[in-house]
């Protein structure tokens, strides 16, 4: 752990911040974290003023969660606004469709989350030009000219390529473009896009932020009041709001984020180091490995490298048998949970990856147990 994660005099460390993020001022006999507020409407005599009027617009449980996420994405900043959504895709869609109009151009990664092609098709149906380029090598710079919005996903999912956020943000802003960064994989404890120059930090809170595989959630954090007002308006129009129970579970889970991240990321590095010694493993990627192609750039902008390791086995059949042989790892999609998961990404058909490509999400199991299980599964499927 670097000194930056521990905090200095007067500045709380990541663990302290995560534990206390978004908590209300203490009131005698009141809970330290109030329970979820289940309300479709609120008492509202007279003029409709005040923070809470109708359940599609605001909810006290959202308010505390949004404050907590904002304190993680932009600690010490007074200009960060956060909005929570029903899912990560709801958050992504809110930024794309609130900021773009017919005739605008947007730059997306061509190696990002597999639902982005669905968003692309809808954007194009609305008369928006969509350009794509790979994440690695800052290739999106080559198609940036005249764009209204640059969408960055770093590290990319599932290939784990990394781009220089500050370099791309500076180039985009010089041309008058907005910049959004999908921060799902690193979480705010691994990377803070707003501090790197991005206008929006967007994420699926379903993944490591909440970390238990039991909540669908998304959020947008931003610095520009006008741009965020448009995102808020989009949320109101489409009603892409989280339930109060989901919001409360998410806030509760954030308290353990630093503990989970430290364990999962440390084990991910150890797993990557073990996989590097296996002859049947090719295409191994983890930004924390010193010899990973993305390590240099990642080390300049990431404080932690994430819990996801990707690699390729010789065939579809070998990957499937390997996944079936694992005892401590669930064959499931998504990532970031306390229970390790892995899957052959090619089964979905939306990622340009080899048939034997495996995305492995490291959980919070004892590292010795998890690595032993992986190596045993590789051994028993070698024949």
């Amino acid at each position: 752990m670097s000194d930056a994660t521990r905090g200095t005099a007067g500045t709380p460390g990541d663990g302290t911040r995560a534990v206390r993020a978004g908590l209300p001022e203490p009131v005698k006999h009141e809970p330290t974290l109030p329970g979820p507020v289940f309300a479709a409407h609120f008492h509202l005599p007279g003029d409709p003023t005040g923070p809470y009027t109708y359940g599609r617009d605001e909810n006290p449980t959202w308010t505390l969660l949004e404050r907590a996420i904002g304190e993680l994405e932009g600690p010490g900043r007074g200009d960060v606004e956060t909005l929570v959504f029903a899912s990560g895709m709801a958050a992504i869609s809110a930024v794309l469709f609130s900021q773009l109009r017919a005739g605008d151009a947007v730059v997306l990664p061509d190696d990002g989350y597999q639902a982005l092609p669905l968003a692309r098709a809808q954007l194009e149906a609305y008369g928006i030009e969509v350009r794509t380029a790979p994440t690695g090598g800052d290739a999106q710079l080559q198609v940036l000219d005249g764009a209204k919005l640059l969408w960055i996903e770093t590290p990319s999912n599932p290939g784990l390529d990394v781009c220089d956020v500050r370099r791309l943000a500076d180039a985009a802003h010089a041309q008058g473009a907005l910049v959004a960064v999908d921060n799902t994989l690193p979480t705010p404890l691994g990377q803070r896009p707003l501090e790197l120059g991005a206008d929006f930090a967007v994420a699926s809170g379903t993944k490591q932020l909440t970390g238990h595989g039991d909540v669908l959630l998304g959020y947008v954090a931003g610095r520009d009041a006008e741009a965020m007002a448009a995102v808020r308006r989009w949320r109101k129009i489409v009603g892409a709001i989280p339930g109060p129970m989901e919001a409360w579970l998410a806030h509760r889970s954030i308290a353990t984020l630093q503990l989970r991240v430290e364990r999962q990321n440390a084990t991910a590095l150890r797993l990557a180091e073990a996989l590097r010694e296996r002859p049947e493993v090719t295409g191994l990627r983890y930004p924390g490995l010193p010899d990973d192609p993305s390590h240099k750039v990642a080390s300049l902008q990431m404080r932690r490298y994430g819990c996801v390791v990707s690699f390729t086995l010789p065939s579809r059949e070998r990957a499937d048998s390997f996944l079936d042989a694992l005892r401590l790892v669930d064959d499931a999609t998504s990532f970031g949970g306390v229970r390790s998961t892995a899957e052959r990404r090619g089964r979905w058909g939306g990622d340009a990856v080899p048939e034997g490509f495996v995305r492995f999400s490291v959980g919070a199991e004892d590292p010795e147990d998890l690595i032993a299980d992986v190596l045993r599964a590789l051994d028993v499927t070698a024949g």
Side-chain angles (χ1 to χ4, degrees):
M1 183 189 298
S2 69
D3 290 340
T5 67
R6 293 192 178 98
T8 57
T11 303
D14 287 343
T16 303
R17 185 177 290 112
V19 166
R20 305 205 62 82
L23 296 182
E25 290 296 319
V27 176
K28 188 174 183 179
H29 305 309
E30 293 293 322
T32 55
L33 176 61
V37 175
F38 298 99
H41 57 263
F42 303 84
H43 287 296
L44 195 64
D47 293 333
T49 58
Y52 305 111
T53 59
Y54 186 62
R56 189 183 62 245
D57 298 327
E58 291 291 349
N59 178 288
T61 310
W62 304 352
T63 299
L64 297 180
L65 174 60
E66 289 170 343
R67 187 185 304 163
I69 295 172
E71 289 172 8
L72 297 179
E73 285 284 2
R77 301 184 63 112
D79 60 346
V80 174
E81 180 181 0
T82 304
L83 298 169
V84 290
F85 289 82
S87 70
M89 277 308 299
I92 289 171
S93 299
V95 173
L96 292 173
F97 293 106
S98 70
Q99 304 303 314
L100 297 168
R101 304 288 183 272
D104 288 341
V106 59
V107 177
L108 302 179
D110 65 10
D111 54 351
Y113 180 51
Q114 66 163 359
L116 284 181
L118 299 176
R120 174 179 184 166
Q122 193 62 55
L123 289 165
E124 291 176 336
Y126 288 158
I128 297 164
E129 178 189 355
V130 179
R131 308 169 188 164
T132 63
T135 298
D138 299 342
Q140 288 174 293
L141 287 173
Q142 301 170 16
V143 294
L144 185 58
D145 188 39
K148 174 70 178 300
L149 175 67
L150 169 63
W151 189 274
I152 296 170
E153 185 178 304
T154 181
S156 61
N157 173 27
L160 303 183
D161 268 328
V162 171
C163 61
D164 186 331
V165 175
R166 189 175 297 282
R167 181 187 181 202
L168 268 66
D170 287 347
H173 289 154
Q175 299 185 28
L178 294 168
V179 178
V181 176
D182 187 325
N183 204 36
T184 302
L185 196 149
T187 81
L189 298 195
Q191 181 173 266
R192 294 182 185 140
L194 300 180
E195 293 183 354
L196 296 170
D199 301 287
F200 304 101
V202 188
S204 168
T206 309
K207 311 301 193 296
Q208 196 171 24
L209 184 81
T210 56
H212 292 80
D214 54 7
V215 172
L216 286 174
L217 192 87
Y219 70 83
V220 179
R223 300 179 300 160
D224 185 277
E226 183 178 352
M228 287 301 293
V231 175
R232 180 183 292 273
R233 185 167 58 250
W234 180 264
R235 183 177 71 173
K236 178 181 177 71
I237 292 169
V238 301
I241 59 174
M245 189 66 193
E246 286 79 5
W248 183 84
L249 284 170
H251 196 172
R252 184 197 65 170
S253 298
I254 285 174
T256 62
L257 178 60
Q258 189 263 356
L259 297 173
R260 292 184 279 108
V261 163
E262 286 296 321
R263 176 63 167 263
Q264 292 172 256
N265 289 16
T267 305
L269 177 59
R270 290 182 59 177
L271 176 63
E273 291 169 341
L275 289 171
R276 189 167 50 184
E277 305 303 316
R278 300 293 301 208
E280 69 269 54
V281 170
T282 60
L284 175 66
R285 297 299 303 271
Y286 183 67
L289 286 172
D291 57 351
D292 186 272
S294 294
H295 182 73
K296 182 177 180 180
V297 174
S299 296
L300 294 175
Q301 65 190 22
M302 297 183 72
R303 300 158 68 244
R304 298 175 175 90
Y305 299 107
C307 64
V308 176
V309 178
S310 68
F311 56 95
T312 300
L313 293 175
S315 67
R316 171 177 180 167
E317 293 73 22
R318 179 68 188 282
D320 284 337
S321 62
F322 162 72
L323 293 170
D324 188 58
L326 292 166
R327 296 170 180 165
L328 298 179
V329 182
D330 296 329
D331 191 341
T333 195
S334 198
F335 58 85
V338 291
R339 289 174 290 279
S340 292
T341 60
E343 68 173 340
R344 189 180 61 80
R345 284 299 291 178
R347 65 181 178 172
W348 297 100
D351 297 309
V353 295
E355 286 288 349
F357 180 96
V358 174
R359 185 183 69 184
F360 197 110
S361 173
V362 174
E365 299 89 357
D366 286 304
E368 295 80 8
D369 294 336
L370 181 64
I371 293 171
D373 187 41
V374 170
L375 297 181
R376 180 199 54 78
L378 288 173
D379 288 338
V380 302
T381 58

